[in-house]
Amino acid sequence: MDKRQITVTSPLLPPLEEFIPYLQEIWDSKWITNNGSFHKRLEQALSEYLDVPYISLFTNGTLPLITALQALRITGEVITTPYSFVATTHALWWNGIKPVFVDVDPVTGNLDPDKIEAAITPKTTAIMPVHVYGNPCDTARIKEIADTYGLKVIYDAAHAFGVEVNGESVLKAGDMSTLSFHATKVYNTIEGGALVMHSAEAKQHIDYLKNFGFAGETKVVAPGINSKMDEVRAAYGLLNLKQVDTAIERRKHVAQMYRSELSKVPGIRCFEDIPSVRHNYAYFPIFVDEKEYGMTRDALYFKMQEKGVYGRRYFYPLISDFSTYRGLESARAENLPNARKLADSVICLPMFATLSDEEVGRVLESVVK
Ligand SMILES: *Cc1c(COP(=O)(O)O)cnc(C)c1O
């Protein structure tokens, strides 16, 4: 049996020989952080690539969530999804905001718009959905609800780098959207992230907030934080941006290989591509129907590991099951049946640009009995 490990992800790395001259440039300039030349170049390049006029770079993907909530002065209660990475809800907690969990759509894994209204109270000020796995949320319905009730919308778009619907970036939806450029994401700057907003004024304010609130040498306009991206990561990010389209193409090929085999396996469900969407193939989740497949999710998960295939149970447990949140009224199991079902049946298969066809074959063998 082949024991070479196949991990769930592997970072997209720029060619080292192209990185070294950039490092030389940074060393020569001695300007290593604080809106340097690579920071400016990466902001501009991402603004063009993502087709969003206003974007601000951050040091990771959690601080833009925390900062967006500060900038929009969100308080009280915020409606969000339990089916995500913990950072989504932690950002609310760090702002003293009470998360209100609403169940997800069983097909897409995203916040179910039909269930949002029932969770709105006089204390609700915003909705914070996640485009989970890069699946676009129903942004039109969410906007309609937000407009009706006077709520802000902040999208956690950590998974949605480069995702478009009908040729439009999903980052255009809502008041603001956040991105993560963590090593495990489709596009990475090692650690990094960004906040997308829709006016020059909003960008200016965010740029102040991510630099302690400084609006000039002696002027501090808000209790800001430090979440600036440094020059080394910005330079690395500029190089990775050049190869991200090729990486997404390769991920698409892997997804197609997975789908064509797994569609024949009873009890294994995968997402299908939506024709109007440019997907980024950030993750490849499969959902195991215990009865039909003849094995529990966890049994399959460990069986795969015996064959050297290290999937991950993203997103299990639900955020609402962690100690910080499980006492909340909205965390009750009866409130979140669809999210629970996804969390209890999911395994994300290995998905990254340097995964070989042979490795894809080994992953498939570990799932197909
Ligand atoms: C990765 C991720 C984050 C956090 O990003 P970091 O860059 O790791 O801080 C936030 N939300 C979601 C949904 C994520 O997957």
Side-chain angles (χ1 to χ4, degrees):
M1 191 166 31
D2 195 341
K3 285 282 185 187
R4 277 173 305 152
Q5 286 190 11
I6 306 175
T7 49
V8 74
T9 189
S10 175
L12 185 66
L13 288 160
L16 189 56
E17 65 277 12
E18 288 182 40
F19 193 35
I20 289 166
Y22 276 17
L23 290 175
Q24 187 68 55
E25 205 178 315
I26 296 168
W27 259 241
D28 290 345
S29 73
K30 298 192 168 57
W31 191 314
I32 59 177
T33 188
N34 286 44
N35 201 24
S37 123
F38 281 106
H39 186 285
K40 287 185 182 131
R41 282 153 72 182
L42 183 59
E43 251 183 23
Q44 180 62 31
L46 282 171
S47 159
E48 284 164 23
Y49 179 86
L50 298 168
D51 189 27
V52 285
Y54 304 104
I55 183 167
S56 181
L57 299 180
F58 274 70
T59 194
N60 60 48
T62 302
L63 283 160
L65 286 166
I66 292 175
T67 308
L69 292 163
Q70 282 281 318
L72 296 169
R73 298 177 195 275
I74 306 301
T75 57
E77 296 177 3
V78 170
I79 289 170
T80 191
T81 168
Y83 194 66
S84 178
F85 180 62
V86 280
T88 312
T89 314
H90 282 353
L92 296 170
W93 203 263
W94 273 67
N95 277 287
I97 295 163
K98 181 174 165 189
V100 175
F101 297 110
V102 162
D103 205 8
V104 299
D105 178 308
V107 177
T108 63
N110 285 327
L111 207 53
D112 183 347
D114 286 339
K115 302 204 172 125
I116 293 175
E117 280 190 88
I120 296 173
T121 77
K123 290 186 183 154
T124 311
T125 55
I127 307 171
M128 198 154 84
V130 179
H131 303 290
V132 78
Y133 308 125
N135 288 343
C137 289
D138 189 342
T139 56
R141 286 284 311 285
I142 291 171
K143 177 173 164 43
E144 206 178 285
I145 298 164
D147 289 348
T148 305
Y149 289 87
L151 308 175
K152 301 281 189 202
V153 182
I154 299 167
Y155 282 99
D156 181 340
H159 302 171
F161 186 89
V163 172
E164 294 173 356
V165 181
N166 295 317
E168 283 265 294
S169 168
V170 290
L171 303 172
K172 293 186 179 179
D175 293 279
M176 293 189 186
S177 291
T178 67
L179 290 164
S180 165
F181 306 150
H182 182 257
T184 54
K185 307 299 207 260
V186 169
Y187 166 80
N188 84 85
T189 61
I190 306 175
E191 293 272 359
L195 187 49
V196 172
M197 61 298 279
H198 308 305
S199 73
E201 292 75 19
K203 172 165 165 57
Q204 180 64 263
H205 185 51
I206 293 296
D207 285 346
Y208 294 154
L209 284 179
K210 77 175 181 192
N211 187 29
F212 310 98
F214 275 107
E217 192 187 335
T218 55
K219 194 171 171 186
V220 170
V221 295
I225 196 154
N226 178 10
S227 46
K228 305 184 298 293
M229 183 183 282
D230 63 77
E231 286 293 278
V232 173
R233 286 183 199 157
Y236 173 107
L238 212 47
L239 291 173
N240 252 356
L241 193 56
K242 289 204 250 171
Q243 52 175 358
V244 73
D245 279 333
T246 316
I248 291 172
E249 274 307 304
R250 175 66 203 169
R251 284 169 174 271
K252 181 176 183 174
H253 172 77
V254 171
Q256 283 164 345
M257 283 182 76
Y258 279 153
R259 270 184 204 138
S260 69
E261 283 305 309
L262 294 175
S263 61
K264 300 173 207 155
V265 182
I268 299 288
R269 171 170 88 91
C270 357
F271 288 124
E272 292 303 325
D273 277 0
I274 304 163
S276 58
V277 175
R278 185 218 186 208
H279 293 277
N280 66 2
Y281 310 94
Y283 300 86
F284 197 91
I286 61 169
F287 301 93
V288 184
D289 181 320
E290 184 177 324
K291 284 209 187 79
E292 261 192 82
Y293 183 72
M295 192 185 272
T296 65
R297 182 274 308 271
D298 286 348
L300 172 59
Y301 178 70
F302 292 114
K303 183 187 97 165
M304 288 165 66
Q305 289 191 356
E306 278 166 26
K307 300 191 174 176
V309 177
Y310 288 77
R312 289 293 293 269
R313 290 167 288 182
Y314 297 142
F315 291 97
Y316 166 84
L318 290 178
I319 301 176
S320 48
D321 284 342
F322 292 121
S323 60
T324 313
Y325 308 112
R326 68 185 172 215
L328 293 170
E329 171 76 1
S330 64
R332 283 173 304 118
E334 318 87 82
N335 191 40
L336 308 166
N338 296 336
R340 189 158 305 277
K341 201 162 172 218
L342 293 177
D344 287 344
S345 62
V346 71
I347 301 176
C348 281
L349 300 187
M351 172 52 90
F352 50 92
T354 51
L355 199 62
S356 68
D357 284 7
E358 185 257 334
E359 288 171 317
V360 172
R362 281 185 50 211
V363 174
L364 284 168
E365 267 172 39
S366 74
V367 179
V368 181
K369 287 173 291 178

